[in-house]
CSV table of all heavy atoms in Angstrom, one decimal:
chain,number,residue,atom,x,y,z
O,926,VAL,N,20.3,-4.2,12.2
O,926,VAL,CA,19.1,-3.8,11.6
O,926,VAL,C,17.9,-4.3,12.4
O,926,VAL,O,17.9,-5.5,12.7
O,926,VAL,CB,19.0,-4.3,10.1
O,926,VAL,CG1,17.6,-4.0,9.4
O,926,VAL,CG2,20.1,-3.7,9.2
O,927,VAL,N,17.0,-3.5,12.9
O,927,VAL,CA,16.0,-3.9,13.7
O,927,VAL,C,14.8,-4.0,12.9
O,927,VAL,O,14.3,-3.1,12.3
O,927,VAL,CB,15.7,-3.0,15.0
O,927,VAL,CG1,14.6,-3.6,15.8
O,927,VAL,CG2,17.0,-2.7,15.7
O,928,GLY,N,14.2,-5.3,12.7
O,928,GLY,CA,13.0,-5.6,11.9
O,928,GLY,C,13.3,-6.4,10.7
O,928,GLY,O,14.2,-6.0,9.9
O,929,GLY,N,12.7,-7.4,10.5
O,929,GLY,CA,13.0,-8.4,9.5
O,929,GLY,C,11.8,-8.5,8.4
O,929,GLY,O,11.6,-9.4,7.9
O,930,GLY,N,11.3,-7.2,8.2
O,930,GLY,CA,10.4,-7.2,7.0
O,930,GLY,C,11.1,-6.9,5.8
O,930,GLY,O,12.3,-7.0,5.8
O,931,ILE,N,10.6,-6.5,4.7
O,931,ILE,CA,11.2,-6.2,3.5
O,931,ILE,C,12.2,-5.1,3.6
O,931,ILE,O,13.3,-5.2,3.1
O,931,ILE,CB,10.2,-6.0,2.3
O,931,ILE,CG1,11.0,-5.8,1.0
O,931,ILE,CG2,9.4,-4.7,2.6
O,931,ILE,CD1,11.7,-6.9,0.5
O,932,THR,N,11.9,-4.1,4.5
O,932,THR,CA,12.8,-3.0,4.6
O,932,THR,C,14.1,-3.4,5.2
O,932,THR,O,15.3,-3.1,4.8
O,932,THR,CB,12.3,-1.9,5.4
O,932,THR,OG1,10.9,-1.5,4.6
O,932,THR,CG2,13.0,-0.7,5.3
O,933,GLY,N,14.0,-4.1,6.4
O,933,GLY,CA,15.1,-4.5,7.1
O,933,GLY,C,16.0,-5.6,6.4
O,933,GLY,O,17.2,-5.4,6.2
O,934,LEU,N,15.4,-6.5,5.7
O,934,LEU,CA,16.2,-7.5,4.9
O,934,LEU,C,16.9,-6.7,3.8
O,934,LEU,O,18.0,-7.1,3.4
O,934,LEU,CB,15.1,-8.6,4.4
O,934,LEU,CG,14.4,-9.5,5.6
O,934,LEU,CD1,13.4,-10.2,4.9
O,934,LEU,CD2,15.5,-10.3,6.2
O,935,ALA,N,16.1,-5.9,3.1
O,935,ALA,CA,16.8,-5.2,1.9
O,935,ALA,C,17.9,-4.3,2.5
O,935,ALA,O,19.0,-4.2,1.8
O,935,ALA,CB,15.8,-4.3,1.2
O,936,THR,N,17.8,-3.6,3.6
O,936,THR,CA,18.8,-2.8,4.1
O,936,THR,C,20.2,-3.7,4.4
O,936,THR,O,21.2,-3.4,3.9
O,936,THR,CB,18.5,-2.2,5.5
O,936,THR,OG1,17.2,-1.5,5.3
O,936,THR,CG2,19.6,-1.3,6.0
O,937,ALA,N,20.0,-4.9,4.8
O,937,ALA,CA,21.1,-5.7,5.2
O,937,ALA,C,21.7,-6.2,3.9
O,937,ALA,O,23.0,-6.3,3.7
O,937,ALA,CB,20.6,-7.0,6.0
O,938,TRP,N,20.8,-6.5,2.9
O,938,TRP,CA,21.4,-6.8,1.6
O,938,TRP,C,22.3,-5.7,0.9
O,938,TRP,O,23.2,-5.9,0.4
O,938,TRP,CB,20.2,-7.2,0.6
O,938,TRP,CG,20.4,-7.2,-0.8
O,938,TRP,CD1,20.2,-6.2,-1.8
O,938,TRP,CD2,21.1,-8.3,-1.6
O,938,TRP,NE1,20.6,-6.5,-3.0
O,938,TRP,CE2,21.1,-7.9,-2.9
O,938,TRP,CE3,21.5,-9.6,-1.2
O,938,TRP,CZ2,21.6,-8.6,-3.9
O,938,TRP,CZ3,22.0,-10.4,-2.3
O,938,TRP,CH2,22.0,-10.0,-3.6
O,939,PHE,N,21.8,-4.4,1.0
O,939,PHE,CA,22.4,-3.4,0.3
O,939,PHE,C,23.8,-3.1,1.2
O,939,PHE,O,24.7,-2.5,0.6
O,939,PHE,CB,21.6,-2.1,0.4
O,939,PHE,CG,20.5,-2.1,-0.7
O,939,PHE,CD1,19.1,-2.0,-0.2
O,939,PHE,CD2,20.8,-2.3,-2.0
O,939,PHE,CE1,18.1,-2.1,-1.2
O,939,PHE,CE2,19.8,-2.4,-2.9
O,939,PHE,CZ,18.4,-2.4,-2.6
O,940,LEU,N,23.8,-3.5,2.4
O,940,LEU,CA,25.0,-3.2,3.2
O,940,LEU,C,26.1,-4.4,3.2
O,940,LEU,O,27.2,-4.3,3.8
O,940,LEU,CB,24.6,-3.0,4.7
O,940,LEU,CG,24.2,-1.4,5.0
O,940,LEU,CD1,23.6,-1.5,6.4
O,940,LEU,CD2,25.3,-0.5,4.9
O,941,ARG,N,25.6,-5.5,2.5
O,941,ARG,CA,26.4,-6.7,2.8
O,941,ARG,C,27.9,-6.7,2.4
O,941,ARG,O,28.7,-7.4,3.1
O,941,ARG,CB,25.7,-7.9,1.9
O,941,ARG,CG,25.8,-7.8,0.4
O,941,ARG,CD,24.9,-8.6,-0.3
O,941,ARG,NE,25.1,-8.5,-1.7
O,941,ARG,CZ,24.8,-7.5,-2.6
O,941,ARG,NH1,24.3,-6.5,-2.0
O,941,ARG,NH2,25.0,-7.5,-3.8
O,942,ASP,N,28.3,-5.8,1.5
O,942,ASP,CA,29.7,-5.8,1.1
O,942,ASP,C,30.5,-4.7,2.1
O,942,ASP,O,31.7,-4.5,1.9
O,942,ASP,CB,29.9,-5.3,-0.3
O,942,ASP,CG,29.4,-6.5,-1.3
O,942,ASP,OD1,29.4,-7.6,-0.7
O,942,ASP,OD2,28.9,-6.3,-2.3
O,943,ARG,N,29.7,-3.8,2.8
O,943,ARG,CA,30.2,-2.7,3.4
O,943,ARG,C,30.4,-2.9,4.9
O,943,ARG,O,31.0,-2.2,5.7
O,943,ARG,CB,29.5,-1.5,3.1
O,943,ARG,CG,29.7,-1.0,1.7
O,943,ARG,CD,28.8,0.2,1.5
O,943,ARG,NE,27.4,-0.1,1.1
O,943,ARG,CZ,26.5,0.8,0.8
O,943,ARG,NH1,26.8,2.1,1.1
O,943,ARG,NH2,25.3,0.4,0.5
O,944,ALA,N,29.7,-3.9,5.5
O,944,ALA,CA,29.6,-4.1,6.9
O,944,ALA,C,29.3,-5.4,7.4
O,944,ALA,O,28.7,-6.3,6.5
O,944,ALA,CB,28.6,-3.0,7.5
O,945,ALA,N,29.5,-5.7,8.7
O,945,ALA,CA,29.0,-7.0,9.1
O,945,ALA,C,27.5,-6.7,9.8
O,945,ALA,O,27.4,-5.9,10.6
O,945,ALA,CB,29.8,-7.5,10.3
O,946,VAL,N,26.5,-7.3,9.1
O,946,VAL,CA,25.2,-6.9,9.5
O,946,VAL,C,24.4,-8.0,10.1
O,946,VAL,O,24.4,-9.2,9.6
O,946,VAL,CB,24.4,-6.5,8.1
O,946,VAL,CG1,23.1,-5.7,8.5
O,946,VAL,CG2,25.3,-5.6,7.3
O,947,THR,N,23.7,-7.7,11.1
O,947,THR,CA,22.8,-8.5,11.7
O,947,THR,C,21.3,-8.1,11.8
O,947,THR,O,21.2,-6.8,12.1
O,947,THR,CB,23.1,-8.9,13.1
O,947,THR,OG1,24.5,-9.2,13.2
O,947,THR,CG2,22.3,-10.0,13.7
Side-chain angles (χ1 to χ4, degrees):
V926 175
V927 185
I931 183 63
T932 308
L934 296 168
T936 305
W938 162 264
F939 289 121
L940 280 167
R941 70 197 182 287
D942 295 331
R943 291 178 273 176
V946 192
T947 309

